[in-house]
Amino acid sequence: MHKRKKIGYGLLSLLPLFLMLLLQVLGIQCIFAAISAYVSIQPGVNPSMFDDVVYAYYTEHTMEILIFVQLLTLLVFGCWYYLGFLRRQVRASSKKVFSFRGAAGILLLSHGMYFFVSLLLMAADYLVPDIMAEYNMLMEDNGIGSLTFLSTIATLVLAPLSEELIFRGLTLHYLKKTGIAFWAANFIQAALFGISHLNPIQGIYAFLLGLVLGWLCKSFKNLTAPMLFHMLFNFAGTYLASLLDPVPETKWLCLSMAAACGVLTFPGVRLLRKASCPQADKL
């Protein structure tokens, strides 16, 4: 492949991340402008309190705003992926993903990874408590982890769909077009996935998840497998986490989580290797 084409595809692989961040900023700015316009026409608003009223309205509707930005992101990148790749290639069947081995493997591996990430977070809470306190505050401010209908839609549906389109759909495909080995392309897209979360704690475990999600994309030659895995992982991180929150963090909890991680992860990987498509080295 011509060197300039390789460089071009390499630069294109970075574009989805920057466009995603730009859409988030522009979407929030547009919403702030709309809220400001709405508040300005309300009777009885004290001009000196205008900014406080606008901010209060924004914080009261954080989840609705997040969903709006996610839908915008899904629309833009869904069209990009369809026009750039999906309509030009033979679509791999999703039957293997929803076979017993495929579905069971994704279920086991996603929950095994949840326990692994939980152990990492417990270690981070012990080693870097200040950074973990900032991370926990960020999660609370964004409404992530809350058990409402809107947060469930945002976390379990829209986030996995849009993020898989961006990083495993576009970024990974463009990196593969540069001609580099899959392991290198997978490492880069996972690193960009981690960077997109804009905080070190989420960035580290998002990078590790990105490696697994990229492997699933390669193994099943479509986005169905990583999307399903992403949804199930977020489900565990929301609903299973809420059940474990009251449990004291003792060494027995750590040992139990480590055991659960091993019991779920290794069979999950074995099932997925058996269920994956032949010639899975090709995306």
Side-chain angles (χ1 to χ4, degrees), residues 86 89-97 217 219-224 277 282-283:
L86 198 58
Q89 64 185 20
V90 177
R91 302 180 190 181
S93 173
S94 298
K95 289 182 180 180
K96 290 183 179 292
V97 177
C217 183
S219 297
F220 289 91
K221 298 190 287 186
N222 59 45
L223 293 182
T224 306
C277 299
K282 297 182 180 179
L283 284 175

Side-chain angles (χ1 to χ4, degrees), residues 46-62:
N46 189 335
S48 63
M49 300 291 292
F50 180 81
D51 290 341
D52 292 335
V53 173
V54 170
Y55 183 73
Y57 193 90
Y58 175 83
T59 54
E60 289 173 4
H61 298 83
T62 301

Side-chain angles (χ1 to χ4, degrees), residues 24-212:
Q24 290 177 353
V25 172
L26 291 178
I28 291 173
Q29 290 298 322
C30 290
I31 289 168
F32 255 114
I35 293 173
S36 298
Y38 174 77
V39 171
S40 66
I41 62 174
Q42 299 304 304
V45 177
N46 189 335
S48 63
M49 300 291 292
F50 180 81
D51 290 341
D52 292 335
V53 173
V54 170
Y55 183 73
Y57 193 90
Y58 175 83
T59 54
E60 289 173 4
H61 298 83
T62 301
M63 194 52 63
E64 292 91 333
I65 292 168
L66 174 61
I67 288 177
F68 170 79
V69 174
Q70 287 177 327
L71 287 172
L72 178 62
T73 303
L74 187 59
L75 174 64
V76 171
F77 288 99
C79 291
W80 185 352
Y81 180 67
Y82 175 77
L83 295 174
F85 293 101
L86 198 58
R87 69 171 182 170
R88 299 178 183 177
Q89 64 185 20
V90 177
R91 302 180 190 181
S93 173
S94 298
K95 289 182 180 180
K96 290 183 179 292
V97 177
F98 294 106
S99 66
F100 173 78
R101 286 177 175 174
I106 289 173
L107 178 64
L108 293 175
L109 182 58
S110 61
H111 284 65
M113 284 297 296
Y114 161 72
F115 286 113
F116 177 71
V117 169
S118 296
L119 288 171
L120 288 181
L121 294 178
M122 291 170 66
D125 197 23
Y126 177 77
L127 297 172
V128 285
D130 292 340
I131 297 178
M132 273 302 295
E134 293 178 4
Y135 165 78
N136 290 328
M137 186 177 297
L138 176 65
M139 296 298 102
E140 290 177 7
D141 291 343
N142 290 338
I144 297 173
S146 60
L147 305 180
T148 66
F149 174 74
L150 289 180
S151 68
T152 298
I153 295 298
T155 306
L156 272 62
V157 180
L158 297 179
L161 292 178
S162 58
E163 289 174 355
E164 293 314 308
L165 282 170
I166 293 168
F167 295 100
R168 267 60 66 180
L170 293 169
T171 300
L172 185 56
H173 273 82
Y174 283 126
L175 286 168
K176 285 289 289 181
K177 281 181 171 290
T178 65
I180 63 175
F182 174 77
W183 70 264
N186 199 35
F187 183 92
I188 294 170
Q189 67 82 17
L192 294 174
F193 182 50
I195 291 169
S196 72
H197 288 78
L198 302 179
N199 70 81
I201 299 297
Q202 262 191 307
I204 291 171
Y205 72 71
F207 166 72
L208 297 174
L209 285 173
L211 294 175
V212 177

